[in-house]
Amino acid sequence: MSKARLATIWLEGCSGCHMSFLDMDERLIDLAESVEIVFGPYVDLKEFPKNVDITLVEGAVATEEDLKKIREIRENSKLVVAFGDCAVTGNVPAMRNQFPVKDVFQRAYENNVTEKPLTPTEDIPALLERVRPVHEIINVDLHIPGCPPSADTIFFAVSELLEGRIPDINEKTRFGK
Ligand code: SF4
């Protein structure tokens, strides 16, 4: 039986959702029997591959680069999952949305700096004026809320997707199963 092609990626997130993925512990061994991880922090690949079955996206869309990546992911993935609250709602990275980008830069590089305050003009990501959850940019097949989602919830969701079902995550988290 051929294995499902699974990708994971983080955009503007803290990697906590990926840490929770690893918290599945020995269940990762069960998953490894039915999935091949084709992209993610555990795979040394720079380009997002084609023909991915399931992509878990951690983090919100905050930069021009994120915009490009998320569109590429949608184009090359059968199922896209917004993985964790930053992807689902914007959550932590979206806190900056109440300030203009120029004020954010000024605060980070000048107001809080005592020696040589200077906002760089090169080699920093081009920030979008507003951080956006993934579903505002592309169609999302499943949302897994949580900051981070629990390992149980992730295992449940991925197992259901592998069985060809879109799971009811609210039902799962409401009863803490
Ligand atoms: Fe980190 Fe929480 Fe965002 Fe996941 S949802 S990337 S754990 S801040």
Side-chain angles (χ1 to χ4, degrees):
M1 192 182 74
S2 68
K3 294 185 175 186
R5 289 164 59 77
L6 176 74
T8 76
I9 190 167
W10 75 66
L11 303 178
E12 306 312 305
C14 73
S15 83
C17 292
H18 274 75
M19 293 301 118
S20 202
F21 185 94
L22 293 179
D23 280 344
M24 285 192 280
D25 297 331
E26 68 276 8
R27 288 172 293 185
L28 289 167
I29 297 167
D30 298 336
L31 274 185
E33 286 178 10
S34 44
V35 304
E36 177 191 359
I37 297 187
V38 293
F39 189 82
Y42 331 110
V43 178
D44 188 20
L45 254 192
K46 300 285 177 261
E47 301 295 323
F48 193 81
K50 297 195 181 304
N51 302 318
V52 177
D53 293 304
I54 303 167
T55 302
L56 304 181
V57 180
E58 173 190 315
V61 180
T63 67
E64 294 289 346
E65 195 183 339
D66 292 342
L67 265 184
K68 202 172 141 221
K69 276 189 206 158
I70 199 67
R71 288 179 176 135
E72 191 182 2
I73 287 165
R74 180 67 278 181
E75 214 170 287
N76 292 292
S77 308
K78 288 187 192 128
L79 295 172
V80 175
V81 178
F83 177 35
D85 282 350
C86 293
V88 173
T89 68
N91 196 29
V92 175
M95 287 178 181
R96 76 156 165 88
N97 285 353
Q98 54 192 309
F99 307 104
V101 165
K102 69 174 175 35
D103 290 358
V104 172
F105 275 119
Q106 194 166 31
R107 179 88 177 162
Y109 290 107
E110 298 184 31
N111 298 354
N112 287 339
V113 177
T114 46
E115 278 191 33
K116 300 185 186 165
L118 180 68
T119 298
T121 53
E122 290 176 9
D123 300 328
I124 52 172
L127 297 188
L128 301 177
E129 196 56 47
R130 222 180 113 252
V131 175
R132 297 163 76 182
V134 174
H135 70 88
E136 283 192 14
I137 312 293
I138 59 164
N139 285 332
V140 168
D141 300 289
L142 176 68
H143 290 87
I144 307 181
C147 182
S150 70
D152 286 352
T153 301
I154 299 166
F155 182 71
F156 167 72
V158 174
S159 302
E160 288 288 287
L161 292 174
L162 289 171
E163 290 294 327
R165 296 186 287 265
I166 301 289
D168 183 345
I169 295 293
N170 289 337
E171 195 66 13
K172 165 83 182 162
T173 49
R174 190 179 313 137
F175 296 108
K177 291 183 212 159

